[in-house]
Amino acid sequence: MNNAASSFAKILREHRPVIGTWLGIPHSIVGETISQIGVDFVLADGEHGAVPPHKLLEILPATDRYAMPLVYRVPFNRPEYIKAALDIGVAGVMIPMVNSVEEATAAISTAKYPPGGTRGIGAWRASNYYQDGAGYRARANDETTLIIQIETGDAVRCVDAIAELKGVDVLYLGPGDLAYSMGIEPGLQHPLLIEAYKTVVAAARRNGVKTGIDVTSLDFVNEYVSLGIDFFTFQSDYTFILDGGRRAAASMRDCVRGAFQATIA
């Protein structure tokens, strides 16, 4: 197990906020550059992003260079995606659309070695090509992070039972999908949505796990922190390129215009 995975598991157990960003462009250069921006982890998106499991082979060496924990959101809650990502060596996996205790239990079983689960022993890259097979297996259950997404009304209704399951490290709110499942327009801080957040935070606290959310506006951060949310994702490689590029282009255009006007004044 690499140091990034160990350090990520450690900071999740500390009483402090954890901040990460999304990676949706499946390229090693993006992984290498985004690892240097000052976040606690990078979350590669295989559900709504263009990162299939095999692309992790290109991205992980780049993020490992800076000891940046790479978490992978699998496309679906299916063993082949979870096992592939863990065997390649990610620090953790995020499981989308977990709507029942049974679905959460299935994810845990796939992600954990016996006796906590049914994961097979073929962690080829994660164990440094089987050179540290026994050592990796001894540490993996404690050091491999499992993030369960709570993003429907059904999930909120059974969140206490999900949070009680051994092996869950983070309950991660999906604000857009959760709002939509409750008949609320995504992007609004509706009172019913806030109550759902409170329910998830309370379940997480009772079971010693973190509650996470994607921050779509910095205006929401104070409220999220006051609710007890302590695990955050914000923006992505896409938005960094678009926002940074727009600002840089506007600044350059202003400078050129100013210089040009000075020459003809």
Side-chain angles (χ1 to χ4, degrees), residues 28-110:
S28 59
I29 293 175
V30 178
E32 192 169 44
T33 53
I34 206 170
S35 294
Q36 300 175 67
I37 68 171
V39 292
D40 296 311
F41 69 100
V42 171
L43 181 52
D45 192 5
E47 185 194 19
H48 295 303
V51 188
H54 70 272
K55 280 293 183 179
L56 297 171
L57 280 172
E58 299 175 21
I59 300 165
L60 270 166
T63 56
D64 285 349
R65 179 180 179 186
Y66 294 95
M68 175 57 64
L70 185 73
V71 177
Y72 183 58
R73 178 161 73 172
V74 297
F76 302 98
N77 182 10
R78 294 214 304 252
E80 61 266 35
Y81 294 118
I82 298 170
K83 289 192 295 184
L86 293 176
D87 289 349
I88 291 169
V90 295
V93 287
M94 176 182 281
I95 314 298
M97 286 291 175
V98 176
N99 296 316
S100 68
V101 175
E102 291 76 18
E103 291 176 1
T105 300
I108 294 167
S109 180
T110 300

